[in-house]
Amino acid sequence: LIQMGDENLKYAEWYYGPQDWIVNSLSMHSNKAMKLWDAFKLQFSSQKYEESRYDRRFSKDELNSRIENLNIFSFNADFNKKLSPDFFYFYGAEASNDNLKSIAFVENITNGELSPLSTRYPAGENRYQTLAAYSAFRYKVNRKIDISGGLRYSFVSIHSSFEDKSFFPFDYENIDLENDALTGSIGFVYRSEKNTRINVNLSTGFRSPNIDDIAKVFDSEPGTVVVPNPNLKPEYVYSADIGFKHTFLDQKIDIELIGFYSYLDNAMIRSDFSINGQTTLIYDGEESNIQAIVNTGFARIYGFTAQVDFELNDYFIWKTGMSLVDGADNDGFPIRHAPPIYGNSSIAFEKDQWKFQLNAFFNGEIAFEDLAPTEAAKPYLYAVDENGNPYSPAWFSIDFKSVYTISKAFAVHFELENLMDIRYRTYSSGIAAPGRSFRLSLVFNF
C-alpha cells in the first residue's frame, strides 16, 4: 500500500485472504524385527489448501480476486535395519500427487458485477507428481570416527494446460515436463578425546522446476510481469561443508564454526524474456516488461555460521551467534535471496520458578551496489541512501522475556519487544518493525 503510481498511491486495497487448510493423515508403525527391517513407518496423507489475493487500484471500483485451490496426496514408507552393532541401514520411498485449480475474477464493488480476470496459474489442469526412493547408511568405524552416506533417485512430472489464452499471447496449449536424477551425499565425523568434533560433508542436489517456476503469471515488481517458460530445465547443486566444535572449561563453553560452499549448475533465476518477439504486455491494465524464470550458466553460494554458548554459572547462560551468506551468478550479479549478515545474542537467568532472558538481534547493511537487480528495482521496499538509491540499512533490536512458573500446570509470561523502540525493516520484506510492544500471557497446561 506504500507504492506510488504516477501521482497518487497505486493501490487502495492489497491483501491476502485467509488460508484454509485441512490435513488428514494415517500412519502405521512397526517395531517387530523381520529379515528385511527392524522397524518401519508407513504414512498416507491428504491436504486441501486454499489461498487468495485481492487488490484494487486507488480510486477504482474494480476489485481483482485470484484464488488458488490445491489438493495434495502423498505416501511415505521408511525402513531401518541394524546389520551389525556399528552399521545401520535405512531405505524408503515416497510418492505425491498435487492438483491445482486457479480461478480469478473482477468484482465491481459498487454494483457487484463480475467479469473475467487472468488467473495466477493456468486456468486448466495443473498436475505435479513426484516419485522417489532412497537408501542410506551410518557406520561407526571406531570410537572416534563415523561415516554416513546415501543415494536418492527422484522423478518429477508436470502438466499444465492453458484453457483460456485470451489474456496472454502464448503460442502453446500445454506445458509438459518430466525430469529425473540420482543424487547422493557422504559425510565424516571425527571426535577427539579432548572434546573436539570435526565433520565434513559432500553432497549433490537436484531441483526440477515446479508449477510456480514454470507456469505462474504474476507481477513481481512495479512494471514487470513474470510469465511461463516451457523450456525451463532443472538445476543441480554440488555442496561441501565443514564444521568444527570444541567444548572446554569443564563443558561450560561450546564454540561451533560451520562453513559451506555450493555450486549451482543451470541455476534458475528471473531474467528478461519475450513472447513471440514481444518484450512487454498488458497485465491488469498496466504495460509491463516481460520476465521469466530462466536457466543461467551457474551460480555460487557460500557462507559461514559461528556460535558460542557459555554457561557462566548454575543460573546464567550466554549464547551468541552470527551467519553470513553470499553469492553471485555467472554474470556477477548478487543472488536475490542471500540476506545480509545477521545474528543474535542472549543471556538467560533461571532459578526456581523464575526465568529471565534478554535477546539482541542484528542485521547488517546491503548497499545499493550489492542488491540483486530484481531487489534494486523495488525502491518502495527500501530506505534511500545519500545518493537517492534504495538500500537495506543495518539495524538491531532488543527484546526482554520472563516466565514465572506457578505450578506444573500454570505459568505467566511477560515479553517486551523492541525495547529501544527502533524503526527497522527486515531485508526484502517491505514491512516496518512494530514499535515497542508488550505481551502478557497466561499459560495453562492440562
Side-chain angles (χ1 to χ4, degrees):
L1 294 180
I2 62 174
Q3 292 184 49
M4 298 297 294
D6 295 332
E7 296 181 355
N8 297 311
L9 290 170
K10 185 174 182 179
Y11 293 104
E13 298 180 85
W14 203 116
Y15 60 94
Y16 291 94
Q19 292 180 336
D20 293 332
W21 185 42
I22 185 170
V23 180
N24 300 287
S25 177
L26 175 66
S27 62
M28 181 173 69
H29 306 253
S30 174
N31 292 316
K32 183 178 180 180
M34 305 290 285
K35 187 174 182 179
L36 295 179
W37 63 77
D38 292 333
F40 71 81
K41 176 183 178 182
L42 305 179
Q43 181 164 310
F44 302 86
S45 67
S46 68
Q47 300 180 53
K48 186 176 179 61
Y49 180 83
E50 179 181 293
E51 69 175 24
S52 52
R53 295 167 177 81
Y54 304 88
D55 68 86
R56 181 172 61 85
R57 295 300 178 103
F58 188 76
S59 75
K60 301 297 183 181
D61 295 332
E62 293 77 25
L63 177 67
N64 296 330
S65 303
R66 290 184 168 94
I67 303 169
E68 326 303 334
N69 287 284
L70 182 63
N71 290 291
I72 304 171
F73 300 93
S74 62
F75 167 74
N76 293 77
D78 297 288
F79 302 83
N80 65 74
K81 181 70 176 178
K82 186 177 181 179
L83 300 178
S84 75
D86 298 318
F87 194 93
F88 298 85
Y89 183 63
F90 313 88
Y91 62 97
E94 69 175 10
S96 68
N97 183 80
D98 302 1
N99 290 290
L100 170 67
K101 181 64 177 178
S102 189
I103 60 176
F105 56 88
V106 179
E107 178 185 2
N108 188 300
I109 63 172
T110 302
N111 56 31
E113 289 184 0
L114 301 181
S115 56
L117 179 68
S118 63
T119 54
R120 186 174 177 85
Y121 299 91
E125 181 184 12
N126 295 283
R127 186 176 65 250
Y128 179 81
Q129 298 174 316
T130 66
L131 291 171
Y134 76 92
S135 64
F137 73 92
R138 186 172 72 246
Y139 176 49
K140 188 176 181 62
V141 179
N142 53 43
R143 191 170 60 184
K144 295 183 177 181
I145 299 175
D146 289 353
I147 301 176
S148 62
L151 293 172
R152 177 186 174 94
Y153 172 77
S154 302
F155 173 82
V156 177
S157 173
I158 291 179
H159 171 76
S160 288
S161 60
F162 293 82
E163 290 184 351
D164 182 3
K165 298 195 298 179
S166 59
F167 290 97
F168 307 114
F170 301 142
D171 58 357
Y172 42 81
E173 300 290 337
N174 303 299
I175 293 179
D176 290 285
L177 177 74
E178 290 186 352
N179 291 308
D180 66 336
L182 182 67
T183 57
S185 65
I186 189 165
F188 305 86
V189 178
Y190 170 78
R191 301 178 184 87
S192 76
E193 296 181 357
K194 295 183 178 181
N195 301 319
T196 298
R197 187 188 74 193
I198 299 173
N199 56 275
V200 178
N201 297 287
L202 303 172
S203 63
T204 64
F206 155 80
R207 190 172 86 84
S208 180
N210 56 34
I211 293 178
D212 251 25
D213 300 317
I214 206 168
K216 184 169 63 174
V217 180
F218 72 107
D219 50 342
S220 62
E221 58 202 41
T224 299
V225 60
V226 176
V227 301
N229 177 9
N231 298 313
L232 191 62
K233 306 297 182 184
E235 63 182 4
Y236 301 84
V237 64
Y238 307 91
S239 296
D241 66 79
I242 183 169
F244 169 85
K245 184 175 182 179
H246 184 65
T247 302
F248 53 98
L249 286 183
D250 295 327
Q251 309 291 322
K252 291 187 178 297
I253 298 181
D254 286 340
I255 295 179
E256 186 170 15
L257 303 172
I258 300 173
F260 76 92
Y261 179 90
S262 295
Y263 179 90
L264 271 171
D265 188 24
N266 230 18
M268 291 187 280
I269 65 168
R270 191 182 300 161
S271 185
D272 292 337
F273 199 69
S274 63
I275 301 175
N276 299 327
Q278 300 180 34
T279 58
T280 64
L281 58 77
I282 302 300
Y283 182 81
D284 283 359
E286 179 179 343
E287 186 173 12
S288 302
N289 296 317
I290 298 175
Q291 289 192 335
I293 307 296
V294 301
N295 297 108
T296 188
F298 63 86
R300 296 180 298 270
I301 305 173
Y302 46 87
F304 76 89
T305 296
Q307 179 76 30
V308 178
D309 297 348
F310 186 11
E311 187 177 329
L312 302 174
N313 54 40
D314 292 339
Y315 308 115
F316 285 95
I317 297 177
W318 173 63
K319 297 182 178 182
T320 190
M322 63 179 296
S323 298
L324 173 65
V325 180
D326 205 353
D329 61 25
N330 59 313
D331 292 322
F333 293 118
I335 296 295
R336 181 166 63 99
H337 289 299
I341 186 171
Y342 64 94
N344 68 284
S345 185
S346 68
I347 186 165
F349 170 84
E350 186 171 2
K351 184 179 180 182
D352 300 328
Q353 295 109 315
W354 288 99
K355 183 176 181 179
F356 302 97
Q357 186 169 322
L358 193 65
N359 302 311
F361 306 90
F362 73 88
N363 267 228
E365 175 185 309
I366 297 185
F368 169 71
E369 56 269 20
D370 296 325
L371 284 175
T374 52
E375 292 302 300
K378 305 173 185 176
Y380 59 90
L381 291 183
Y382 295 99
V384 178
D385 65 16
E386 59 186 8
N387 298 316
N389 296 317
Y391 84 113
S392 182
W395 59 266
F396 76 94
S397 178
I398 298 176
D399 298 347
F400 171 77
K401 298 181 180 181
S402 65
V403 178
Y404 179 66
T405 303
I406 299 173
S407 67
K408 290 183 178 180
F410 192 59
V412 180
H413 294 238
F414 174 74
E415 300 179 30
L416 174 57
E417 298 179 338
N418 198 355
L419 182 64
M420 307 299 291
D421 202 27
I422 293 175
R423 185 179 189 272
Y424 64 89
R425 182 177 293 174
T426 52
Y427 168 70
S428 193
S429 72
I431 301 174
R436 186 184 297 116
S437 54
F438 304 86
R439 180 180 296 126
L440 178 66
S441 306
L442 305 179
V443 179
F444 181 67
N445 298 307
F446 59 93

